[in-house]
Amino acid sequence: MTARAAIILAAGQGTRMKSSLPKVLHPVGGRAMLDHAIDAAEALGCERIVVVVGDHSPSVRAHVVARLGEGAVAVQDPPLGTAHAVRAAEAALAGFEGEVIVTYGDTPLLKASDIAVAFGGEGVTVVGFEARDPTGYGRLLLDADGGLEAIVEHKEATPDQLTVTTCNSGVMAASASLMFSLLAEVRNENSKGEYYLTDVVELARARGAATRAVMANEDAVMGVNAQGELAQAEALFQSIQRDAAMARGVHMPAPDTVHFSWDTEIEGGVTVEPYVVFGPGVTLASGARIRAFSHIEGATVGADAQVGPYARLRPGAVLGAHVHVGNFVEVKNVEMGPGSKANHLTYLGDGSVGPRANIGAGTIFCNYDGFFKYRTEVGEGALIGSNTALVAPVRVGANAMTGSGAVITEDVPDGALAIARAKQVTKPGWAQEFIEMMRARKMAAGK
Ligand code: UD1
Ligand code: MG
């Protein structure tokens, strides 16, 4: 296979987002749009990836450097058009002799499989699509044989050309040498005064080089320019995730209410009830049941475990097989052994719960003193009484118990019972006398 490189354009201002966050860092499925674009380039087998960033957004640059290193950044300043942007990547690709593909940082649904066909052609290949509404897009002008003659931008198009619905997705591939030599010829004599990448098609033809269009699905190439389109991209992304999950055998009675992240790993045989949100980093094993209105991120849920309704699993929650986490229970950075249960109104933060241990209603792992966090260890088979405060660092041994309402500040040995509450005092008849006395007083006061 010829070596491949990708140039991802992300130097636009993104002003229509009306956001302090640069456009390409907005998330779809919990992942920055730019990362989706880089994922696609990696999946295409691109050995070099260059992201063209503007001088106006240091955070985009930092994002690229963190993921791909300094060598992957090319700065375009000022932004003078898409051809100018691709040229900005030339130095970063010095010495590269294979094929390059140009993509955008704001097309989060584009997958490698949608555009892999763009490689391997002679000359210049453009990825096109049939637009439901072609307004604003460049139009692909095809000859009688379906060959690509030119791309005309909406602003430059004649009324006749405006009726064309076959549009330019923006994705273009060619050998690096052809691409950069054509780009050197692009002029900016057009209504926007910009250097249009799309002009390389006519320039290639003029040289006698081949040009062709390959087609992709409109949804796959959709670009995000404003918040409404971001929401549309998210909706499409979610529906793709749900369909894939259901195709694997995930049971979801109300799929439209379930929100996935880009990396949610969910095996067939999992049930997800309505109104569940999966943040990034979630893995669910077969037989698990996520009950309604639960919020789960950074967590692993074992086979046949039950979570919710109204449960919250935060990063580092690792639930073994058959674990039950019930309503209004929050688990963070705690490993729960197989068969353990925390069914009601509980906070488990930083620690571990042994196999088959039972955590009573209202239990709190008191993990934080305002400065540092500490761990709570609950042993195998332990029974934590309702409303126990476990003041970390502390350990409750295997098969140990705590009495209801305990405030546990010292370790409880294996098999022991710890009671840590004031002893009950009962005064026979006291309440009855009190009630009668107070009633009489109230009557005397005429109320
Ligand atoms: C571009 C195409 C158009 C196509 C459409 C698809 C050109 C001239 N037009 O139009 O044919 O139908 O995309 O969505 O290529 N960018 C830079 N530097 C610049 C200008 C743009 O990095 O100087 C980046 C933007 O951040 C964006 C991408 O290039 O990611 C496309 O730019 P945009 O201004 O949105 O182009 P369109 O007018 O939509
Ligand atoms: Mg655009």
Side-chain angles (χ1 to χ4, degrees):
M1 189 175 91
T2 318
R4 295 174 171 182
I7 299 172
I8 301 173
L9 304 189
Q13 301 262 12
T15 43
R16 277 176 287 165
M17 294 300 283
K18 300 200 167 98
S19 167
S20 57
L21 184 68
K23 176 168 79 172
V24 294
L25 298 187
H26 281 74
V28 168
R31 185 164 179 77
M33 291 197 280
L34 181 56
D35 282 315
H36 286 287
I38 297 172
D39 291 346
E42 287 181 346
L44 282 168
C46 293
E47 60 184 51
R48 307 275 289 274
I49 297 173
V50 179
V51 181
V52 181
V53 306
D55 206 32
H56 49 84
S57 48
S59 51
V60 175
R61 183 199 181 93
H63 195 92
V64 176
V65 170
R67 179 162 173 189
L68 299 172
E70 281 285 349
V73 177
V75 177
Q76 185 203 17
D77 180 35
L80 300 178
T82 47
H84 183 254
V86 177
R87 279 192 91 175
E90 189 169 3
L93 286 176
F96 176 78
E97 290 186 343
E99 288 182 279
V100 291
I101 193 162
V102 177
T103 65
Y104 295 167
D106 59 3
T107 54
L109 302 179
L110 195 66
K111 293 191 301 296
S113 54
D114 298 311
I115 52 173
V117 286
F119 285 111
E122 294 283 311
V124 176
T125 301
V126 169
V127 177
F129 65 100
E130 275 304 318
R132 290 179 282 261
D133 173 9
T135 309
Y137 290 114
R139 309 298 206 280
L140 301 192
L141 306 184
L142 305 176
D143 61 24
D145 307 325
L148 181 62
E149 279 185 333
I151 305 177
V152 57
E153 288 304 295
H154 184 103
K155 281 210 163 165
E156 325 294 331
T158 63
D160 254 11
Q161 291 168 336
L162 285 176
T163 63
V164 172
T165 53
T166 309
C167 291
N168 174 27
S169 72
V171 177
M172 184 183 284
S175 72
S177 54
L178 178 63
M179 177 78 84
F180 290 118
S181 78
L182 290 170
L183 284 172
E185 295 175 19
V186 173
R187 301 282 166 264
N188 65 348
E189 284 129 25
N190 52 52
S191 60
K192 282 174 140 184
E194 286 188 1
Y195 296 89
Y196 290 163
L197 176 60
T198 44
D199 284 355
V200 304
V201 172
E202 269 188 285
L203 292 168
R205 281 236 158 185
R207 286 191 192 184
T211 54
R212 63 168 184 150
V214 294
M215 299 301 279
N217 179 279
E218 178 170 13
D219 286 345
V221 299
M222 89 160 274
V224 170
N225 297 303
Q227 298 288 345
E229 286 158 357
L230 182 65
Q232 275 173 29
E234 183 71 47
L236 283 166
F237 178 87
Q238 290 299 331
S239 107
I240 293 165
Q241 298 284 304
R242 291 171 192 136
D243 289 350
M246 289 187 286
R248 281 198 304 280
V250 174
H251 175 56
M252 286 191 286
D256 289 353
T257 67
V258 176
H259 192 97
F260 287 102
S261 279
W262 64 284
D263 61 349
T264 308
E265 283 180 38
I266 175 164
E267 286 182 2
V270 170
T271 295
V272 184
E273 291 186 5
Y275 300 101
V276 169
V277 175
F278 296 108
V282 173
T283 301
L284 308 166
S286 188
R289 185 180 189 91
I290 310 301
R291 305 205 52 199
F293 299 103
S294 294
H295 190 281
I296 301 183
E297 61 185 320
T300 299
V301 178
D304 302 310
Q306 282 208 31
V307 176
Y310 299 98
R312 179 165 184 213
L313 302 184
R314 293 172 51 202
V318 177
L319 277 47
H322 298 281
V323 164
H324 287 189
V325 167
N327 39 242
F328 308 109
V329 172
E330 174 179 346
V331 183
K332 185 216 57 167
N333 193 26
V334 167
E335 191 167 333
M336 296 185 69
S340 60
K341 291 181 181 160
N343 270 327
H344 331 268
L345 300 155
T346 284
Y347 173 59
L348 307 179
D350 300 310
S352 66
V353 174
R356 290 175 305 286
N358 190 78
I359 308 290
T363 296
I364 306 288
F365 283 13
C366 309
N367 61 330
Y368 187 46
D369 60 10
F371 298 91
F372 297 103
K373 303 254 166 90
Y374 308 91
R375 290 178 62 83
T376 299
E377 316 287 345
V378 173
E380 173 167 359
L383 302 173
I384 305 299
S386 296
N387 226 30
T388 295
L390 293 155
V391 182
V394 74
R395 180 180 178 280
V396 177
N399 300 312
M401 293 173 71
T402 68
S404 292
V407 177
I408 302 294
T409 55
E410 287 162 26
D411 288 357
V412 181
D414 292 355
L417 165 67
I419 301 168
R421 61 184 183 228
K423 217 171 167 56
Q424 182 170 331
V425 177
T426 307
K427 300 183 175 181
W430 191 98
Q432 189 65 42
E433 281 170 31
F434 174 79
I435 289 164
E436 279 161 19
M437 173 185 79
M438 294 310 271
R439 272 196 196 131
R441 266 196 211 169
K442 206 166 177 181
M443 277 243 274
K447 289 185 182 159

